[in-house]
Amino acid sequence: MQLIDCFLEQGWQVTFASAANEGEHKADLATLGIAEATIALNHDSFDTFISALQPDVVLFDQFLMEEQFGWRVEKHCPHALRVLETSDLQSLRHARHQAVKEWLGGKPDADLTDCFNMPREQLFSRMAASDLALREVAAIHRSDLSLMVSDVEIELLVDCFSVPAAQLHWVPLLVRDVPEYDGAFEDRAHFITIGNFRHAPNWDAVLWLKNTVWPLIRAQLPTAQVHVYGAYTPPKAAALHKPAQGFHIMNWAEDALEVMSAARVSLAPLRFGAGIKGKIIDAMLCGTPTVTTPIGAEAMHGELAFPGAVACEAQALADAAVSFYTDAERWGQAQRDGRQLLLARYDHTRHCQALVARILALREGLAAHRLANFTGAMLRHHQHKSTQYMSQWIEAKNRNG
């Protein structure tokens, strides 16, 4: 939605096409003047649709969409700039997930300090051995431009996967207005954690919080409460609701910023993941310090102070959480650090202008840009052929019943 807002500000005409079913909390795109279209996977009706539309720029939502529709766009709109929105590197998240499983070795409370600080070469070796990385990085090479929310992942792609820097663009989550904070330290109460339960890193974080970190916090603050918010709450998550232990499963929040603004400290004990964390952006917007791991803090603050605390071990996370909950001065400093970070790193106007300028420059010099990307051309020649033939085979199979 932030990218769409950026495009609309330029007066660009935006068409949103999706093969997915409408979600329960779908945005009202029509009121924004956005045309909507339903498209089908493995079906030549998309060819008719895209040929009639003839867009100047096509944005793919993650690499699976580029795999499915990229070759069709190239065939029918060869002059359209193809942009991939990666969100985060799924292959990085997957590699870290597998590493955590191995590191834990069946011991849910094992020390993950070395795993969190894994050398980049070792991380690359884990990623490069996966089919997921082969597919995802191939899609990045094939695209004219890939949008990255994490500058750490840009460095990984350039240094380890030989992706040309000219094909990558850093555009993190964007903040239009940084508010003055409401509510003093003494007006806030309780801890909070928030995140979609369907997202594996969030579910793992909730389990680690419930079983390990939270008991350590309660040992120091016996009446403390944590409110756990998340969409798509499964029965296994609802079963964690234990009011007597101060652990409350609150389901989906109608307004994430409202509940975050009422809390005193945000907890994000993430043991694996990638990209940057919307929950930490929300906490900064609300003036709520965050206690997290190196995974949660990665690519969030650059050279600036993190607005909270970063720790690897459960006891260190618990101690930091208690400190921010009870120390008004430290709490206030974290709040000020968060505001400075939002202004310096996540400004909507600056990033939007840079993205638009990059897109327009690439459209002007698209032929030369593509000529310099021989690896991408080679991958499109081979991979798109196989993807095309598989898609056409599925289409023919479906047509013949």
Side-chain angles (χ1 to χ4, degrees):
M1 289 301 300
Q2 292 170 357
L3 293 175
I4 288 175
D5 286 344
C6 179
F7 300 152
L8 291 176
E9 287 174 2
Q10 312 310 309
W12 294 357
Q13 182 179 343
V14 177
T15 299
F16 183 85
S18 176
N21 295 326
E22 288 191 3
E24 181 181 356
H25 307 296
K26 173 184 174 293
D28 187 359
L29 300 181
T31 61
L32 299 175
I34 297 172
E36 298 180 66
T38 300
I39 53 178
L41 303 175
N42 302 307
H43 199 282
D44 60 8
S45 59
F46 180 83
D47 301 344
T48 303
F49 162 74
I50 202 70
S51 295
L53 189 63
Q54 284 297 310
D56 299 303
V57 180
V58 176
L59 180 71
F60 299 102
D61 180 20
Q62 303 186 46
F63 80 93
L64 290 173
M65 291 299 97
E66 190 278 338
E67 281 187 340
Q68 175 68 218
F69 296 106
W71 66 271
R72 294 182 184 271
V73 171
E74 182 177 18
K75 179 178 180 181
H76 298 285
C77 306
H79 303 298
L81 184 73
R82 297 186 300 274
V83 182
L84 175 62
E85 159 58 11
T86 62
S87 294
D88 61 17
L89 281 179
Q90 295 183 38
S91 52
L92 173 59
R93 184 186 344 127
H94 174 76
R96 284 176 166 161
H97 193 179
Q98 298 308 308
V100 166
K101 288 180 179 178
E102 294 174 17
W103 223 278
L104 292 176
K107 301 176 182 178
D109 299 329
D111 181 8
L112 292 177
T113 299
D114 290 339
C115 188
F116 287 149
N117 299 311
M118 187 185 304
R120 192 165 62 181
E121 295 74 17
Q122 185 178 346
L123 192 57
F124 167 70
S125 297
R126 286 179 169 274
M127 293 175 64
S130 71
D131 287 344
L132 186 58
L134 293 172
R135 294 172 59 192
E136 186 171 34
V137 176
I140 290 171
H141 274 289
R142 287 193 300 263
S143 301
D144 295 315
L145 185 68
S146 291
L147 307 184
M148 309 294 300
V149 297
S150 167
D151 50 356
V152 172
E153 292 175 11
I154 289 178
E155 293 177 2
L156 180 66
L157 287 171
V158 171
D159 295 343
C160 295
F161 289 93
S162 300
V163 176
Q167 289 176 237
L168 304 172
H169 185 82
W170 179 50
V171 53
L173 297 177
L174 307 179
V175 175
R176 189 181 297 276
D177 299 303
V178 180
E180 295 291 343
Y181 299 126
D182 295 325
F185 174 82
E186 56 272 10
D187 297 329
R188 305 285 194 101
H190 311 315
F191 295 90
I192 188 173
T193 188
I194 193 165
N196 188 327
F197 283 110
R198 288 183 179 175
H199 193 50
N202 290 338
W203 173 237
D204 177 79
V206 168
L207 287 177
W208 194 34
L209 176 64
K210 172 65 170 62
N211 297 326
T212 305
V213 179
W214 185 244
L216 296 173
I217 294 175
R218 286 275 286 193
Q220 300 181 61
L221 299 173
T223 62
Q225 296 184 44
V226 60
H227 295 170
V228 182
Y229 290 91
Y232 311 110
T233 308
K236 63 182 180 180
L240 299 179
H241 183 68
K242 303 292 181 184
Q245 300 172 11
F247 201 89
H248 301 265
I249 302 296
M250 308 296 288
N251 301 317
W252 183 69
E254 287 283 346
D255 187 333
L257 296 183
E258 180 180 348
V259 296
M260 184 67 80
S261 295
R264 187 176 290 179
V265 177
S266 176
L267 304 174
L270 295 159
R271 298 197 287 188
F272 62 93
I276 60 176
K277 312 304 180 291
K279 57 175 67 65
I280 297 179
I281 298 287
D282 287 347
M284 287 190 283
L285 283 169
C286 298
T288 307
T290 295
V291 175
T292 190
T293 65
I295 297 297
E298 181 178 87
M300 293 298 304
H301 60 107
E303 299 299 321
L304 297 175
F306 183 78
V310 181
C312 296
E313 299 178 348
Q315 186 64 61
L317 289 166
D319 291 345
V322 171
S323 176
F324 280 108
Y325 200 83
T326 57
D327 187 337
E329 183 176 347
R330 191 181 185 196
W331 185 88
Q333 183 59 54
Q335 191 176 78
R336 291 188 291 273
D337 290 340
R339 194 171 197 281
Q340 180 183 0
L341 183 55
L342 288 173
L343 292 168
R345 194 171 174 87
Y346 297 98
D347 179 64
H348 170 93
T349 300
R350 177 167 60 88
H351 284 292
C352 182
Q353 290 175 347
L355 174 59
V356 169
R358 189 76 182 274
I359 288 174
L360 294 178
L362 284 177
R363 278 189 46 76
E364 285 294 319
L366 188 55
H369 179 73
R370 287 178 174 171
L371 184 63
N373 180 20
F374 181 79
T375 299
M378 178 175 60
L379 288 169
R380 289 199 306 276
H381 174 77
H382 292 285
Q383 179 67 20
H384 275 183
K385 291 297 183 184
S386 61
T387 304
Q388 172 184 346
Y389 295 148
M390 174 59 74
S391 180
Q392 290 176 337
W393 178 82
I394 294 173
E395 181 181 345
K397 183 174 180 293
N398 291 338
R399 186 183 300 117
N400 295 328

